[in-house]
Structures are given as C-alpha cells and as structure tokens.
Amino acid sequence: MRVQVVVGGTTYCATMTVATQTILWTSFNTACWDNTGTALTGAPNTVTIEFEVSSGPTVGIFDFCVTAISFQ
C-alpha cells in the first residue's frame, strides 16, 4: 500500500511496509517504488492525502482503517 501526498500539483508517495507506521515527510518521493525521483524536504504548507492499494491478476479483499494522521 502507498500513501500519496499532492503538493502544488506534484504527487509524492511512500510505501507502507507494516500495518502501523510513521512516515517522515522526507520519505515521500515522486518515484517511491524505486526512490529515483525527487523527495520532499519537509512538511508542506498545504497537502492532499491519498491512499493507493495495488491490485494483482486475482480479485482480493483489502480492508484498512485510518485511525490518526498528524503533521509534525
């Protein structure tokens, strides 16, 4: 699963590797799948947050719940 933030029209993403996770702003990258893109340097003033779940060739069920989002 990826968390994406859109800052000024540019989409940055970070890959979640565990169920409960803290993601630093500097972990967001324009190419998070291989970290070859541009990384955020810190917390933006305005941000849109999106969640992306990749799918495979078979249909599956994915359930998640966001319990907190904090900006530090």
Side-chain angles (χ1 to χ4, degrees):
M1 181 169 155
R2 291 183 183 143
V3 179
Q4 297 184 155
V5 294
V6 180
V7 180
T10 301
T11 301
Y12 299 85
C13 59
T15 302
M16 292 190 67
T17 56
V18 295
T20 301
Q21 184 172 350
T22 298
I23 302 173
L24 301 175
W25 287 112
T26 53
S27 298
F28 285 91
N29 189 297
T30 55
C32 66
W33 50 91
D34 64 5
N35 289 321
T36 60
T38 303
L40 278 176
T41 56
N45 292 328
T46 305
V47 64
T48 299
I49 300 173
E50 303 170 344
F51 297 91
E52 179 182 84
V53 178
S54 299
S55 62
T58 59
V59 177
I61 296 173
F62 190 86
D63 186 17
F64 69 95
C65 178
V66 176
T67 58
I69 294 176
S70 63
F71 298 93
Q72 298 178 0

